[in-house]
Amino acid sequence: MLITVNLKDIIVDPKRTVDLTTLSREEAIELIQKSYGFLASATRVEIEGDMAFISFDEKKGQQIEDEAGKLYNRGVKKGESGEYESAVKLFERALQILPIHKDARRNLAMAHLEMGKKEEAKNHLIESVRLDPTDVWAWVLLGNIYAKHEDDLQTGARFYQKAYEINPNDPYLLTNYAAV
């Protein structure tokens, strides 16, 4: 598995922008490896120009994906019925099987937020955008947490702006961004 991310899109610190291009190659690689520590299978980080290439030793196989998918779907149903603790457990089990399951990670964050666990929600959303910097919903949810739950409009606006750059026509994003 290979993730290619522009260095400017890597969140090292959610409260402030860290320009990885101003650091030495070794420092940037070390920060990236720490940032992706939630994936224990991370094997290598390479930097070429303004891009980071993060490779993972990820077991592939339809059986693994199917098992994680079943747990994820059960978690979604639990979350929809308001059983957030059960949903969290199912999403966590899905991620143990398939750590790169971005939908399970984002929904895990939403379940934590519904249970009032903002820090856990933020951490999982940051992991989500590390896995997929084009995940508009993860950026919007991060913006919502900072703007609406923590009254940090500046950080919230930064995350909304990132989502806007990806999809400027998303009505949910535009409504939230306009409120800031």
Side-chain angles (χ1 to χ4, degrees):
M1 172 74 183
L2 178 69
I3 296 176
T4 304
V5 185
N6 193 305
L7 291 174
K8 69 179 176 114
D9 290 334
I10 296 175
I11 299 175
V12 176
D13 182 346
K15 296 290 273 178
R16 64 183 180 87
T17 302
V18 176
D19 186 354
L20 295 173
T21 63
T22 64
L23 303 176
S24 73
R25 179 179 162 83
E26 293 76 22
E27 290 174 311
I29 287 172
E30 183 180 344
L31 282 174
I32 292 168
Q33 286 173 326
K34 285 181 183 175
S35 295
Y36 284 81
F38 65 97
L39 294 177
S41 61
T43 56
R44 201 166 81 185
V45 174
E46 294 291 326
I47 295 177
E48 292 180 23
D50 62 350
M51 300 300 290
F53 300 91
I54 305 148
S55 58
F56 302 95
D57 181 19
E58 185 63 45
K59 294 179 185 175
K60 281 288 190 179
Q62 194 62 45
Q63 185 178 14
I64 290 172
E65 291 180 26
D66 289 347
E67 187 177 349
K70 287 177 186 175
L71 291 166
Y72 166 75
N73 289 331
R74 287 177 47 208
V76 168
K77 288 179 182 173
K78 292 290 185 181
E80 288 172 346
S81 66
E83 298 176 58
Y84 301 116
E85 287 186 33
S86 295
V88 163
K89 289 177 185 174
L90 289 163
F91 292 139
E92 286 173 342
R93 285 180 42 211
L95 290 169
Q96 286 173 343
I97 295 167
L98 189 64
I100 60 171
H101 195 304
K102 65 183 182 181
D103 294 330
R105 195 167 300 282
R106 188 180 54 245
N107 279 279
L108 174 60
M110 291 179 2
H112 277 298
L113 187 58
E114 290 294 335
M115 292 172 25
K117 298 178 178 180
K118 290 185 297 189
E119 288 305 312
E120 288 92 337
K122 284 192 298 191
N123 291 335
H124 289 295
L125 289 168
I126 289 168
E127 291 169 356
S128 291
V129 297
R130 285 179 179 146
L131 286 172
D132 181 6
T134 65
D135 185 347
V136 172
W137 284 98
W139 289 110
V140 170
L141 290 168
L142 272 168
N144 287 348
I145 290 173
Y146 280 96
K148 296 178 180 182
H149 296 276
E150 296 190 354
D151 202 28
D152 182 348
L153 300 180
Q154 184 176 5
T155 303
R158 195 173 102 231
F159 291 131
Y160 290 145
Q161 178 60 36
K162 183 61 186 169
Y164 182 79
E165 290 168 8
I166 297 165
N167 184 2
N169 298 315
D170 186 299
Y172 184 71
L173 159 67
L174 293 174
T175 301
N176 285 278
Y177 201 4
V180 171

